[in-house]
Each structure stands twice: as C-alpha cells, then as structure tokens.
Amino acid sequence: MTVTTALPHADAIALADEQLASWLKREGCDEPPSALRTRPGQAGEAPAAPGPAERLRLGDRVLLDRDHGPLRGGPGAGHYDRRRLRTPAPHGTQQLTLTVATGAGGPTWVRLEAETHSTGSGVRTPCRVPVPELARTLLPLLDATDGPAAVHLAPRVITADQVDTLIDELCDPERRLPIVVASVPVNLPPDRWAEDVVGPLCHQLPGLATAYVLDPAARTGFNVALEYHTVYGGAVRTYLPEVDPASRYDGARHPVLARGRIEQDPRRAAGLLAREPRRLAADQPLPPSLAAVPVLRVPAPQLRRPVGPAVDPDADPAGRTAVGPTATPPGTDRAAVRAELAALAHEEQQDRAEQQARADELERVRRTLRLERRDHRERGQGREGRDARDTREGRPRSGARALTGRHCTAPNGGPSAGQHLAGRPAGRRGKPETFTELMARLGEFPLLTFTGDQKSALALDGLQRTGAGWARLAWDGLTALQEYAEAAVRGAAGGDFKQWCEHTPEGCHRFPPRKAVRGESRTVFSHAKWKRERMLPVPECVDTSRRAFMGAHLRIGGGRTAPRLHYLDDCSGSGRIYVGYIGLHLTNTRTN
C-alpha cells in the first residue's frame, strides 16, 4: 500500500505507532516503548541526526525493528520513520514494514508492505498475504489520498451528479491506484447490492484500490461518456492508471469480472479482483521520497556490562526486553539472556543468507544476459566479414545461424554462461529443430518452469511437414519470456509480456507482438469445458488447488493445428513464469 496523507509527518507516525501498539496488545504481546523522533516542542521537524536502529523483542518470535533519520540526498532532502514487525506464521514468518517519508516541500508518503517468508525455501509469496489489520485501521485515520482523490475502505455509491467527478478521477495523470467500478443489475437496489455483493468482493482491496458502485442513473451517464470502457449488468471493472477514454484499444487494458463469475464463486472472484491491484502495487516504481529511504540495518545482538548504578528490572511496568547494544540489569539470568541473543543472532544470520542467495541468483541471471547480449553485438558487427569466409570454407552463412538471446557462444569462443547454467554440451548451439530437442533443453531458462505434459509437445514433431519452424518459433518465445522474467523480478519490465514485446529493450530478443496474446476471449472463459482445458498445473505456492487458468499464450503456428504455448506470469509472486501447455490449439469456437 502506497498513499499520501495531509497530516504532518510526526502526527502520521504517532498514529501508526498507536495503532501498532494497540494491535500488539490485543495479540497478547508487550507494548513497545515510545520512540523519540523529534526534539521537544518541535513536533514535525526532522531529527537532528539519524537515530540508531533498534530491535525490541515483544514476545515469542515477535520482533520490532525501528529506525528514523534523513533521506538519502543530504540533510535537506527530507526525513523518514520506519517500523518492521515480524510475527510467527503457520509455515514461516510474517513481516510487516511501515514507512513514513516526507521529502523537502513534498507530501507525506505512507507505505505498508506485508509479506510471508516461508521456512526452508525462502520463496516470498506476497500475492497470498491477507490485507493487514493495520491497513484497515490506519486508512480512515490518515485521511489517505491517491493524488487528489481520497482512498477509502468501503465501496461508495455514485449518483448521476457525481459521474463527472469519477471520470476526472479515472483520467487523473497522478493516479497510482486502480479504481474498481461496479454496476448494479436491473431491478436491484444499489445500496443492497453494494453491501451484500460488492463489499465482500472488495474485502482484499483496502489500500490497493478504491471502489465505487454506479446506481442506474449514474451507469447510463458513465457508459455514454466512456463508450469504450463501459460496465453494466452487475459486472465489475478494474480501471488501471492512465485511462484514455477516446481509445478503443485502451479498453482492453482494463479487465472485467462478469456477474456470473462473481455469483458462481464469490471467494475466488474476490481473489481474481485483487490480483491486478496487488501486481500493480508490487511493480510500480516508488515515489522519490520513499525511494530515498536507506536500507534498514539493525545492529547485531550483543551483551555489554552494566554501566552506572544498578537498574531495577521491575522499574519498567511493561516488563519489556530490549535486544541490541543495551545494558543488562543486575539480577537478570545471564544464561537465559545469552541463549535468547544467540537465537536472535541465528535468525539474523538465516535472513541474511536467504537475502544473499536471492541476490546472487538474480545477479547470476543478469550476468548471463549481459555476456550473451555483448556477444550478439560482436557477432553482428563481424557478420559481413565472416559471410564470405564461411561460404569459402563450406559453412552456412552467418545470416542463417540463429542468434537467440540465451543460446550463443561467449566472446572468447567458449560456451556461454547460459550453457554452463543448463549443463548442456559446449558444442551444441542454435535453435532446436524439433520439440523433442526443445523439451530436453528447457533447463536453459532458469526463470521458466514447465508444469504440463510433454506428450502434447512431442506430438507436434509428427505434424511438422511444412511447418518445420514451430519449434524454432516456440524457442524464440521462451527466450523472450526468460528475458522478460529476468527484468520483471527486479521491477524493470515496464508492463506485462505483451507490452515487453511491443517495446523490447535494446539488446533483448524480440518476439512478434501479434503472436503474444494476453488472454482468451470471454466466450472461452465462460465455457466450462473449454476453461477447464486451460486450468493447468502450478505449484502450491502459486495456488493451493495446484491449478491456475492460463489464458495468456503464444501463437507458435497457424492453420487447423495452430500450436499454442500457454503460460502463467507469476513474476510478482513466486518470481517465475509457469508454462503449462505446449501443443495443438485447445478447444474453442474454431476448432473441431
């Protein structure tokens, strides 16, 4: 959640501390001590110097880290306060990070991040974390805004005289959050529909989107004004930022959730509705003030000898235990304290190891792509000079050789980093000519996981008479998906895979945009049997049912057979793309 507030910085963090302490008390944890952020009598001013980060232990496996100080960029850049709370979860640790940052002359930004660290695997799945209670209590107290528009908890009913205001909010260039607009079925009262249907449907949206319900008169005016972005019949539509009312093609960017889908499975419909706002919240670049917040560095736990007069441990009525470079009062069981600090040090070491492993994996992928892109450029520059030599020596012209993004040789003539990563033979290069070879080389894409049945892909080899390029085209698509995933996991993709194909960065492998399809038609989606064919396997960390609808696909052939590659983009969740099907076109209105 990323919003702004009109409250002064000190008031905003004071409210956050108050709500956080109240929640901890209800959960049976110790209340944290007050944090001194400013000099007495000068509330709202920046601290004179950065405050040391501190760690407080408030219960069994309940840790609170706090720090504050100036933003990066100098003393006049602004200041921030941050709270990070870790609590036990059934399969790991839940982490909640609250940051309040105020830039020089700018608004006060409030960002709340919730995530789950799974034990063992270290995989983060933010798409599965429920909306924290802190978000629901803070939003109305902060009078949170998104640009000029208010961010509220519950859906609001829009009347005919409020339609223009809603349209202005949709088209506002400063808007960051999606807007969910619900229509009301004919002959149903708007208030009842909003309370019974739209309210539960938007239960996962506080802080991630704002929701409105159009009454019958407002729906008519709204659809007349936005002829390419209409919503009616009890459907709900999510309007992403940068709406262009005059563009017919822009309407395809804003997903619609049909009434039948909502009534068939309200709980699943609520999850589908929240998926795009969650993805957008995770992928959007941070505002400058929040981007200038330094990395949280908590000092390692350690013991120091008591300094000064003896301190009575009963003097603190809350019975708190501060973890960090603090004095140990006489009478404390030193063996117990040492054991506690050793456990905390072990937790810190595990966290650092997991973070370093993730960073090393991303850096390894980036290094591989850099080497191969440099090789692309060098081979391209010397291509003309090599053509004649290759022809004289009886080798194929270089123009006929494949220069795919992950399958070229390194500049020194040895195998590329991608080849070492997959463990394939050094002499094997170029695109595969058959799907048998393609399936054997899927390991060369570290961020892609094939979850489907290989038989459907291998069956294509017996059909390739005139269409011998199917395997090569599928390889091109997988290469582009890998490069997109590498950028998406670090938040640099700039959109979905379709947009990546339309605006492929220089040096990356280009896949034809017309062959990349975002999703299936409404007819296919609403047909139970056809939809079931596209419910393909995924890991449990993506969906507990181990199945997910893969409407996004690549066209890797034409004609009656029309081979397709179906995939699920989960880069914002598990950090991977899952390929669930490669084979003949699945059933639709045009297939036999």
Side-chain angles (χ1 to χ4, degrees):
M1 178 183 83
T2 304
V3 296
T4 57
T5 177
L7 296 177
H9 182 101
D11 293 346
I13 193 63
L15 276 173
D17 281 341
E18 178 184 344
Q19 295 301 316
L20 188 60
S22 177
W23 180 83
L24 287 167
K25 185 176 180 180
R26 291 196 302 270
E27 293 296 315
C29 303
D30 296 337
E31 293 186 49
S34 300
L36 299 177
R37 294 173 301 277
T38 56
R39 297 185 296 274
Q42 299 187 18
E45 289 190 6
E54 61 177 340
R55 167 162 289 184
L56 304 173
R57 190 177 191 88
L58 306 176
D60 184 24
R61 292 178 59 199
V62 178
L63 300 176
L64 176 64
D65 301 328
R66 304 190 298 198
D67 71 329
H68 66 272
L71 299 175
R72 291 194 297 261
H79 55 287
Y80 76 95
D81 281 82
R82 175 168 43 197
R83 309 287 182 263
R84 185 177 71 181
L85 179 67
R86 293 185 177 185
T87 55
H91 302 289
T93 302
Q94 288 185 348
Q95 179 171 295
L96 191 67
T97 306
L98 174 73
T99 307
V100 179
T102 304
T108 296
W109 289 90
V110 180
R111 180 171 174 84
L112 187 65
E113 301 172 76
E115 55 192 346
T116 296
H117 296 266
S118 301
T119 53
S121 64
V123 176
R124 295 183 179 184
T125 55
C127 58
R128 297 298 166 189
V129 178
V131 176
E133 185 64 26
L134 187 60
R136 302 184 191 277
T137 58
L138 267 184
L139 274 176
L141 297 175
L142 292 173
D143 293 329
T145 57
D146 175 36
V151 180
H152 40 81
L153 283 176
R156 295 187 177 181
V157 177
I158 296 296
T159 58
D161 57 345
Q162 298 172 318
V163 168
D164 290 340
T165 303
L166 175 58
I167 294 176
D168 291 341
E169 186 176 334
L170 286 173
C171 302
D172 193 309
E174 298 181 11
R175 178 168 67 92
R176 294 171 54 91
L177 301 183
I179 293 179
V180 174
V181 179
S183 58
V184 181
V186 179
N187 300 328
L188 284 180
D191 293 336
R192 182 178 176 183
W193 181 258
E195 181 179 354
D196 296 344
V197 178
V198 183
L201 187 67
C202 298
H203 183 70
Q204 301 180 32
L205 296 183
L208 301 177
T210 53
Y212 298 98
V213 180
L214 300 173
D215 70 9
R219 182 191 65 231
T220 302
F222 183 86
N223 289 337
V224 168
L226 299 177
E227 58 176 328
Y228 302 128
H229 301 74
T230 57
V231 58
Y232 52 87
V236 177
R237 189 161 195 170
T238 303
Y239 295 88
L240 303 179
E242 301 179 3
V243 172
D244 184 359
S247 172
R248 180 190 300 271
Y249 301 103
D250 180 69
R253 284 199 311 121
H254 312 285
V256 179
L257 190 61
R259 177 188 178 185
R261 189 70 185 277
I262 297 170
E263 294 178 336
Q264 180 183 8
D265 191 345
R267 184 176 179 180
R268 182 167 179 80
L272 291 173
L273 186 65
R275 178 174 292 180
E276 194 65 16
R278 286 176 181 266
R279 182 198 65 80
L280 191 64
D283 292 349
Q284 266 196 333
L286 291 176
S289 297
L290 289 170
V293 174
V295 177
L296 176 61
R297 301 188 184 279
V298 180
Q302 56 182 335
L303 284 172
R304 290 186 179 178
R305 293 184 178 277
V307 179
V311 180
D312 182 5
D314 296 329
D316 186 355
R320 295 176 290 263
T321 299
V323 178
T326 58
T328 303
T332 304
D333 186 349
R334 291 181 178 275
V337 173
R338 288 193 183 95
E340 180 179 359
L341 294 181
L344 287 173
H346 181 65
E347 290 179 7
E348 281 291 315
Q349 185 178 5
Q350 285 185 325
D351 289 344
R352 287 195 294 268
E354 289 179 1
Q355 293 172 3
Q356 186 62 42
R358 285 191 291 269
D360 291 345
E361 172 67 16
L362 288 178
E363 181 58 31
R364 182 167 59 84
V365 175
R366 295 189 194 109
R367 185 167 58 251
T368 299
L369 290 177
R370 284 197 298 268
L371 286 173
E372 294 171 351
R373 289 167 189 163
R374 182 176 65 182
D375 185 45
H376 272 244
R377 292 192 294 269
E378 292 180 358
R379 292 175 69 181
Q381 291 171 358
R383 181 180 301 177
E384 293 182 1
R386 288 197 302 269
D387 281 348
R389 184 176 70 251
D390 291 345
T391 303
R392 289 195 303 270
E393 296 176 1
R395 293 195 298 267
R397 289 170 56 90
S398 61
R401 287 186 297 213
L403 293 178
T404 58
R406 300 193 55 79
H407 320 111
C408 52
T409 56
N412 60 3
S416 69
Q419 291 170 330
H420 285 301
L421 182 65
R424 66 175 185 166
R428 190 178 180 182
R429 64 180 66 179
K431 304 178 186 179
E433 296 294 328
T434 65
F435 282 94
T436 302
E437 181 184 355
L438 182 147
M439 299 306 293
R441 293 171 56 183
L442 284 178
E444 297 178 31
F445 303 102
L447 295 183
L448 307 186
T449 299
F450 182 75
T451 62
D453 188 350
Q454 294 191 16
K455 294 180 181 178
S456 58
L458 300 179
L460 295 175
D461 287 338
L463 301 174
Q464 292 192 83
R465 297 171 182 169
T466 60
W470 290 349
R472 293 195 297 270
L473 186 57
W475 188 261
D476 289 343
L478 293 170
T479 302
L481 280 171
Q482 165 64 32
E483 293 179 344
Y484 159 76
E486 192 274 335
V489 294
R490 66 176 193 269
D496 60 9
F497 182 65
K498 176 77 170 181
Q499 292 171 293
W500 174 272
C501 295
E502 293 171 345
H503 309 284
T504 306
E506 183 179 358
C508 292
H509 187 89
R510 186 179 182 277
F511 188 75
R514 61 185 177 83
K515 293 185 178 293
V517 183
R518 283 194 175 98
E520 296 286 8
S521 66
R522 183 179 300 180
T523 303
V524 171
F525 192 82
S526 58
H527 193 288
K529 181 180 178 181
W530 299 349
K531 178 186 174 183
R532 190 161 51 248
E533 288 184 0
R534 292 157 177 83
M535 294 294 296
L536 299 168
V538 293
E540 189 175 3
C541 66
V542 178
D543 196 296
T544 55
S545 67
R546 297 183 180 270
R547 292 275 171 176
F549 182 75
M550 296 190 188
H553 59 272
L554 308 182
R555 296 170 176 155
I556 57 175
R560 281 189 174 184
T561 51
R564 296 291 188 263
L565 183 153
H566 286 256
Y567 68 92
L568 176 69
D569 180 0
D570 196 45
C571 292
S572 61
S574 59
R576 303 187 67 80
I577 291 177
Y578 299 95
V579 179
Y581 178 81
I582 302 176
L584 296 180
H585 199 308
L586 297 174
T587 311
N588 67 2
T589 55
R590 298 185 179 182
T591 55
N592 294 329

